[in-house]
Amino acid sequence: MSSLRILLIGSGGREHALAWKLSQSPSVESIIAVPGNGGTAGLPKVTNNNTVSENDFAGLVDLAKKERINLVVPGPEQPLVDGVENVFREVGIPVFGPSKDAARMEGSKTFSKDFMKKHNIPTAAYENFSDFEKASEYLKKVGHNVVIKATGLAAGKGVIIPESQEEAQQALKDIMLDRQFGNAGDEVVIEEFLTGDELSILSFCDGTTIKSLPAAQDHKRIGEGDTGLNTGGMGCYAPTKIATPALLAQVEREILQPTVDGMRKDGFPFKGCLFTGLMITPNGPKVLEYNVRFGDPETQTVLPLLKSDLAEIMVACSGPIPLLKYVPVEVEQKFSATVVVAAPGYPNSYPKNIPMQVSTPPAGSNIFHAGTKLSGDSLVSSGGRVIAAEAVGETLRAAVDKAYEGVKLINFDGMYYRKDIAHRAFRDEKSSSDKLTYAQSGVSIDAGNELVDRIKAAVATTRRPGADAIIGGFGGEVDLSQAGYPGAPIIVGAIDGVGTKLIIAQKMNKHDTVGIDLVAMNVNDLVVQGAEPFMFLDYYGCSRLDVSVAAAFVEGVAQGCKDAGCALVGGETAEMPDLYTGDDYDAAGAAIGVMKSAQRLPRKEAMAEGDVLIALASSGVHSNGFSLVRKVVDKCGLSYTDKAPWDSSATVGESLLTPTRIYVKPLLKVLAQTGEAVKGMAHITGGGLTENVPRMLPKHLAAEIDVATWEHPPVFKWLRESVVPTEMARTFNNGVGMVLAVAPEAADAVVKGLEAEGEKVYTIGKLVNREGGEKGEWCVLKNLESWAA
């Protein structure tokens, strides 16, 4: 790492950004940019060299030997596809970039699509064609929109998205017959047009390990609102808000690591920067394309966020021994935005040699040159995408605003730039700004979790033989055999209420179903610990005792007890006119269950990576999240007597009062039948999937759940129109009321047993190692973006 002398190949904005970042490394002695541009010429440690062409490999080798170069960094794709890495490797000079074989991932769309199919990497459905007539006939038959790609390199412009059959046929003719992109059009890929948001991920690779920079979003079209012709990129921002930690973990697990592993297994390990273009579809992330080098303008956007030494990272990736896993890749927890300024007429024909004036940007901002050069002492334009302003900010809005301030420092005749960079992020911000959260309805899950944490110490002081007094599970246990009653079983207690679902019952004057809810909320919490409920007690508090209302409620409690197989042994009724008002009432209940030690769940020590997650269908919203449900009903201007928008056969109130499903009997039967197959269970109650599934897990494992694997009741689809996906996940059951962790070899038997008892069963995921250790996510939800209305 001492005294690096770098040969940087290229002349664009990407190369200026690379030279800028590399020059900051104390290990870098000098950088020769071939040919460089007007921006690289002004950087410390950097010298432009125009004596050799970037495609003259023999000349580049001679220059490298003369200047004692010990690291080569090719910027553009063409030298890599043509084998520049192989040439320098033969003379013993390391290259940060892939071999000619590995560069086929960008050099041939056909090759990369076939690679993805071979290694089960998600991508769009496709067909390859080298015959124009066959391609034309295929276009006439497909029943979906398509994307047409010239298989070879086309300077980022060989991708056509036709909007009609006529446009598709014309694009095919332009590429294959009229040779619009030259030899790049010898073969085309015609693939399914994917919908969703695009992401670009730049990843450092050493052939084995992969470490990624923040996900970015490019703006390819020339016109605002993503209209007009395709370009090399008119702007970019990072990180993107849609790239949640869960999504990024999924991308690394299902796409990036399998790509690097597949290339190594196929005999062409990838070293350098892998650019993966993704579409985040309703069915999850899919690969649009691979590039085998840094993107432009993504590089100008993400490198200012990189805290680590870029030169150190490149050296770790470029040697014969993979060393990247030992080198940190740390980034600022900020935002970056880039606005590209183009020549008049771009991406069609445009003038060059336009005189330019560029002022020095303030701290936190950069001007990255692309199509510029020095003519004597004067700066002039030399390309279509001429220059870019970049800025870093604490928020995306701040970064974008600073970048546009940077544009004001650039002046040349006819300069053009888009004025809506990051508009998709701000669109999402605006569209979600009127969506509701549980906290806005007056309930804070975080405050509830904080309370539990604060009272744990006080609760622990009450421990006694047989009871450890640890809270946070679904129910509390006392081992009577340890409490002075030898041979006695373990008893389990649970206590819960119905919550603000009671308000809907009062408005609809229907009180029996919430009695069932009260029992269900308690006994479902017992059975997940392996206990059989045997007794129940209720509490009913009101302002004025209305006998008919109270009787209907208790009759519902009795029905719930019968459904659960437990006895209603007592209760308390309290009239408190100064505490409640009008016809208000509240209710709570406690269930007591029993089990033997061998029946205790969860068995965390038995859980392992690969255990299957099975879910039982819910009957609807059950009894949690009703403060938010009522807020949504009010927001939509609905009455509880109106027809339900999600159920034409019932009113809003009737549908919402569907009682919570009681899972006790089928679960107890299957537990008895399958021995130790079931390792843990989670009742999906307050806190939704996000908060409840982790309650059964050991600290080193996480639940990976694909939210697209089960049938979602219409009421949840309606709620998603007003509630953001993450809030849906941490508030509601979303169609699954119980989740089981099951040994893989016994999963089929458990599913069949539950189905035989009348349950609708889904296989929704598996247990995986918890990335990031105890600080990592405990519940990873795949395809959560498909919930966005």
Side-chain angles (χ1 to χ4, degrees):
M1 275 294 296
S2 60
S3 198
L4 280 174
R5 295 173 297 280
I6 297 174
L7 175 62
L8 175 64
I9 302 171
S11 61
R14 162 185 50 219
E15 287 73 39
H16 185 184
L18 287 168
W20 168 80
K21 191 65 179 178
L22 286 167
S23 69
Q24 298 170 16
S25 171
S27 302
V28 172
E29 175 186 321
S30 62
I31 302 169
I32 297 175
V34 176
N37 58 36
T40 56
L43 289 173
K45 304 182 183 178
V46 181
T47 305
N48 287 356
N49 189 307
N50 297 297
T51 64
V52 61
S53 163
E54 60 188 78
N55 297 314
D56 178 3
F57 293 174
L60 289 172
V61 168
D62 289 342
L63 176 65
K65 289 179 177 178
K66 176 184 175 184
E67 299 293 341
R68 298 181 298 117
I69 296 296
N70 50 18
L71 180 64
V72 178
V73 180
E77 62 274 17
Q78 193 67 59
L80 291 165
V81 171
D82 290 343
V84 70
E85 188 275 342
N86 303 59
V87 171
F88 277 99
R89 177 156 38 90
E90 287 175 3
V91 296
I93 300 176
V95 176
F96 179 79
S99 66
K100 185 174 184 178
D101 282 346
R104 288 178 295 174
M105 294 290 278
E106 180 172 2
S108 170
K109 300 291 190 298
T110 302
F111 179 84
S112 65
K113 293 293 286 190
D114 290 344
F115 173 89
M116 285 183 264
K117 178 185 287 187
K118 176 182 178 181
H119 293 283
N120 297 313
I121 294 167
T123 187
Y126 73 100
E127 293 290 342
N128 301 323
F129 295 95
S130 56
D131 182 283
F132 171 79
E133 294 299 334
K134 290 181 179 178
S136 177
E137 285 302 312
Y138 175 78
L139 279 177
K140 293 173 185 176
K141 294 176 183 178
V142 293
H144 52 72
N145 293 338
V146 299
V147 179
I148 302 175
K149 297 180 178 181
T151 190
L153 298 180
K157 300 174 187 176
V159 177
I160 311 298
I161 305 174
E163 297 182 0
S164 65
Q165 179 68 211
E166 292 72 22
E167 285 187 21
Q169 292 289 347
Q170 183 60 49
L172 195 64
K173 179 176 178 293
D174 291 343
I175 294 172
M176 300 192 77
L177 298 184
D178 298 341
R179 316 297 288 173
Q180 182 177 10
F181 304 115
N183 293 339
D186 286 348
E187 192 171 16
V188 297
V189 176
I190 300 177
E191 67 180 32
E192 168 193 12
F193 176 73
L194 299 176
T195 59
D197 277 300
E198 290 190 41
L199 284 184
S200 301
I201 298 183
L202 304 183
S203 306
F204 298 110
C205 309
D206 65 0
T208 300
T209 301
I210 190 162
K211 294 186 178 182
S212 299
L213 290 164
Q217 193 167 64
D218 189 8
H219 297 63
K220 284 292 187 187
R221 301 279 188 166
I222 187 66
E224 290 168 12
D226 298 320
T227 58
L229 297 174
N230 261 350
T231 71
M234 293 301 297
C236 187
Y237 69 96
T240 65
K241 294 185 178 180
I242 61 171
T244 62
L247 178 65
L248 292 175
Q250 181 184 1
V251 168
E252 181 163 340
R253 185 173 58 251
E254 298 180 1
I255 294 173
L256 299 181
Q257 195 62 55
T259 297
V260 174
D261 292 344
M263 295 177 76
R264 187 176 65 254
K265 290 173 184 175
D266 287 354
F268 47 93
F270 188 92
K271 297 183 178 183
C273 177
L274 180 67
F275 174 125
T276 308
L278 302 167
M279 181 70 79
I280 311 304
T281 76
N283 296 316
K286 295 188 177 184
V287 177
L288 294 174
E289 64 175 354
Y290 295 111
N291 293 331
V292 297
R293 37 70 191 181
F294 287 98
D296 186 337
E298 289 87 355
T299 305
Q300 298 93 302
T301 306
V302 297
L303 283 188
L305 296 173
L306 179 64
K307 293 166 60 177
S308 302
D309 188 322
L310 178 60
E312 184 181 6
I313 295 168
M314 287 183 168
V315 169
C317 294
S318 305
I321 300 173
L323 297 173
L324 181 59
K325 67 179 180 180
Y326 303 111
V327 176
V329 177
E330 298 177 353
V331 296
E332 297 273 4
Q333 298 305 303
K334 296 181 179 180
F335 293 85
S336 176
T338 301
V339 180
V340 172
V341 181
Y346 177 81
N348 292 317
S349 60
Y350 51 85
K352 298 182 180 180
N353 298 306
I354 306 172
M356 302 175 61
Q357 294 80 42
V358 180
S359 300
T360 302
S365 298
N366 293 288
I367 302 295
F368 289 121
H369 293 237
T372 71
K373 64 180 182 180
L374 290 175
S375 178
D377 293 330
S378 300
L379 184 69
V380 298
S381 69
S382 62
R385 291 189 298 160
V386 178
I387 199 166
E390 181 276 336
V392 171
E394 295 292 337
T395 65
L396 180 58
R397 174 55 72 186
V400 170
D401 289 347
K402 285 173 66 177
Y404 278 108
E405 286 298 310
V407 171
K408 296 177 183 178
L409 303 175
I410 301 165
N411 183 42
F412 62 91
D413 288 344
M415 59 184 270
Y416 170 81
Y417 59 93
R418 280 181 57 168
K419 301 176 178 64
D420 65 343
I421 299 306
H423 73 97
R424 281 166 281 181
F426 298 134
R427 170 208 68 194
D428 294 341
E429 211 172 68
K430 183 178 179 182
S431 67
S432 64
S433 64
D434 61 346
K435 292 197 172 185
L436 299 172
T437 65
Y438 208 5
Q440 287 174 315
S441 69
V443 179
S444 173
I445 295 172
D446 295 331
N449 291 338
E450 182 183 355
L451 174 62
V452 171
D453 289 338
R454 287 191 60 177
I455 65 176
K456 279 181 177 178
V459 172
T461 64
T462 70
R463 67 170 56 92
R464 53 154 292 161
D468 56 17
I470 295 175
I471 58 174
F474 288 97
E477 298 180 6
V478 177
D479 187 341
L480 293 177
S481 68
Q482 301 297 316
Y485 302 90
I490 299 169
I491 59 170
V492 186
I495 186 166
D496 209 339
V498 181
T500 60
K501 189 175 184 178
L502 289 172
I503 294 175
I504 301 175
Q506 291 160 20
K507 289 183 180 295
M508 296 297 293
N509 193 29
K510 181 174 175 57
H511 309 281
D512 56 340
T513 58
V514 287
I516 298 173
D517 285 315
L518 182 63
V519 177
M521 296 303 291
N522 283 280
V523 297
N524 286 340
D525 277 356
L526 289 186
V527 75
V528 298
Q529 295 195 205
E532 177 184 355
F534 67 89
M535 61 183 285
F536 192 85
L537 301 100
D538 65 11
Y539 164 83
Y540 183 93
C542 59
S543 172
R544 176 184 60 83
L545 183 61
D546 183 323
V547 174
S548 63
V549 171
F553 176 80
V554 175
E555 287 166 1
V557 173
Q559 182 59 54
C561 286
K562 287 192 287 185
D563 291 344
C566 62
L568 177 57
V569 298
E572 168 71 7
T573 301
E575 282 187 281
M576 294 177 284
D578 294 330
L579 185 60
Y580 298 100
T581 59
D583 294 327
D584 290 352
Y585 68 89
D586 194 11
I592 307 299
V594 63
M595 65 183 178
K596 297 177 181 178
S597 179
Q599 296 170 317
R600 179 189 275 126
L601 293 174
R603 293 184 294 109
K604 294 183 180 181
E605 74 287 348
M607 291 184 184
E609 184 180 8
D611 282 348
V612 177
L613 293 175
I614 292 170
L616 306 187
S618 69
S619 57
V621 183
H622 284 184
S623 300
N624 293 103
F626 272 87
S627 294
L628 183 52
V629 171
R630 292 185 301 105
K631 195 86 172 178
V632 174
V633 170
D634 289 344
K635 176 191 170 205
C636 294
L638 291 171
S639 164
Y640 290 104
T641 56
D642 291 340
K643 284 292 181 187
W646 62 89
D647 183 358
S648 60
S649 65
T651 65
V652 171
E654 289 168 345
S655 180
L656 291 175
L657 287 174
T658 301
T660 304
R661 190 167 184 84
I662 294 175
Y663 299 100
V664 172
K665 291 181 178 178
L667 284 175
L668 289 175
K669 186 169 183 178
V670 168
L671 287 174
Q673 290 173 341
T674 58
E676 296 186 345
V678 177
K679 301 180 180 182
M681 297 190 286
H683 180 202
I684 310 305
T685 175
L689 291 162
T690 309
E691 302 283 338
N692 284 292
V693 175
R695 293 166 76 179
M696 69 171 173
L697 299 179
K699 291 181 178 180
H700 70 285
L701 293 177
E704 180 185 275
I705 296 173
D706 187 344
V707 301
T709 53
W710 69 84
E711 182 182 335
H712 296 257
V715 64
F716 294 112
K717 296 176 182 177
W718 175 77
L719 285 167
R720 287 171 199 154
E721 296 174 10
S722 301
V723 182
V724 295
T726 51
E727 202 69 17
M728 289 291 299
R730 72 195 297 256
T731 304
F732 301 114
N733 66 63
N734 293 284
V736 290
M738 189 70 68
V739 174
L740 288 65
V742 180
E745 65 276 10
D748 286 345
V750 173
V751 169
K752 289 176 182 176
L754 290 167
E755 288 176 340
E757 295 302 309
E759 296 297 325
K760 186 175 286 187
V761 187
Y762 307 101
T763 300
I764 65 169
K766 61 185 178 181
L767 297 187
V768 297
N769 282 326
R770 190 176 176 190
E771 295 185 14
E774 293 184 18
K775 295 182 179 180
E777 282 191 271
W778 228 342
C779 187
V780 179
L781 301 180
K782 296 169 55 181
N783 292 320
L784 189 61
E785 66 280 357
S786 66
W787 287 4

